[in-house]
Amino acid sequence: MIRPYRIDIPQSDLDDLHARLDRTRWPDDLSATGWAYGVPADYLRDLVHHWRHSYDWRAAEAELNEWPQFTTVIDGTTVHFAHIRSPEPNATPLIVTHGWPGSIVEFLDVVGPLTDPAAHGGDPADAFHVVVPSIPGYGLSGPPADTGWDADRIARAWAELMRRLGYERFGAQGGDWGSAISRALGRLCPDRIVGVHLNLVIGAHATRERPRTNSPRSLPRSGSARSSRGAGGAPGRARGRGTSPCSRPGRRPSPTA
């Protein structure tokens, strides 16, 4: 099930954050050491002052809420994502993944040109339907229901997310940890991925592909399927009628969000 979502942080949470920042107990600073022994106290004071007195969270919240946002549970974990459709009917589906420390905010300036290139002086043939998920444990996703959420597992979750949205084939883009996840999508789901674009590549020094140690995890197609657990509480394969998110369906379902 995919549910609409809107960011609305309670004012009490913001007030609590402000109060904790105001109560910061600043340490003494060694003189003339620069960054050799950590963050200089004066620099950190300026940073905290910015977050406490200058940064407008409500304005940032309103800007993010211009995107249609949703949540869905995949592999036992809540995944938050934005889904911005292009006005071009033949746009290519694209999932973009942030890095660490990062969030979907990384893509505020690029979603417009990607979804509506004609409005930004580009070619309408280059348009994308853009899906921007938050990695489990980051931003508004998660926290993960269990351990083991490595790049491969997140990639399979992203493949399942795109299946739920009705996208049989799609592109993947990511930087930093997003590059590891996007690369895993291309490696694990070659029949569904039309292309992969990476920046700030993790493991760029590698000279050979790492071996695969297990088969793709089978994710449930609906919330009715339950995951089993092996010895020591390790997650097992999904029970019930499921399918690998990396396999191509017989026909493309209608988008649901």
Side-chain angles (χ1 to χ4, degrees):
M1 178 181 295
I2 295 177
R3 300 179 181 276
Y5 183 87
R6 182 176 177 82
I7 305 173
D8 185 15
I9 303 302
Q11 185 59 43
S12 58
D13 288 355
L14 301 180
D15 293 342
D16 175 68
L17 174 60
H18 291 165
R20 286 186 283 122
L21 291 174
D22 289 338
R23 292 196 303 269
T24 300
R25 299 178 62 183
W26 296 104
D28 293 332
D29 202 6
L30 293 175
S31 60
T33 58
W35 289 76
Y37 289 88
V39 181
D42 287 345
Y43 181 95
L44 194 55
R45 284 190 180 93
D46 289 343
L47 180 63
V48 169
H49 184 275
H50 166 74
W51 287 113
R52 172 62 180 89
H53 298 285
S54 302
Y55 185 77
D56 186 345
W57 166 252
R58 292 302 183 196
E61 190 177 71
E63 186 174 15
L64 286 169
N65 281 331
E66 293 179 4
W67 288 347
Q69 297 172 66
F70 307 88
T71 61
T72 190
V73 176
I74 302 177
D75 202 8
T77 293
T78 298
V79 173
H80 162 265
F81 65 97
H83 185 196
I84 306 95
R85 297 182 190 275
S86 171
E88 303 298 333
N90 295 321
T92 300
L94 176 69
I95 187 166
V96 296
T97 308
H98 63 83
W100 177 91
S103 71
I104 64 173
V105 174
E106 294 178 17
F107 305 111
L108 281 172
D109 293 335
V110 301
V111 166
L114 287 172
T115 56
D116 193 3
H120 295 80
D123 186 343
D126 295 331
F128 295 90
H129 298 305
V130 179
V131 178
V132 191
S134 299
I135 297 173
Y138 291 70
L140 300 165
S141 279
D146 53 16
T147 60
W149 281 87
D150 58 6
D152 284 9
R153 186 170 175 185
I154 296 170
R156 294 185 184 108
W158 279 190
E160 173 64 15
L161 173 61
M162 296 300 274
R163 183 190 300 283
R164 293 182 187 183
L165 294 174
Y167 296 133
E168 178 181 344
R169 304 197 72 215
F170 56 95
Q173 195 285 328
D176 191 66
W177 276 113
S179 73
I181 295 164
S182 300
R183 181 172 177 270
L185 267 168
R187 179 169 53 85
L188 296 172
C189 309
D191 291 341
R192 295 189 60 199
I193 302 300
V194 300
V196 176
H197 177 273
L198 308 176
N199 63 283
L200 193 59
V201 181
I202 291 179
H205 61 282
T207 59
R208 62 174 60 92
E209 182 66 80
R210 65 182 179 87
R212 292 178 60 180
T213 57
N214 57 358
S215 59
R217 183 185 178 93
S218 178
L219 294 177
R221 293 182 67 89
S222 68
S224 60
R226 296 181 179 179
S227 297
S228 61
R229 291 185 177 271
R237 294 188 180 276
R239 296 176 183 167
R241 298 182 62 184
T243 184
S244 167
C246 292
S247 61
R248 292 179 64 179
R251 64 183 180 86
R252 176 174 172 168
S254 300
T256 56

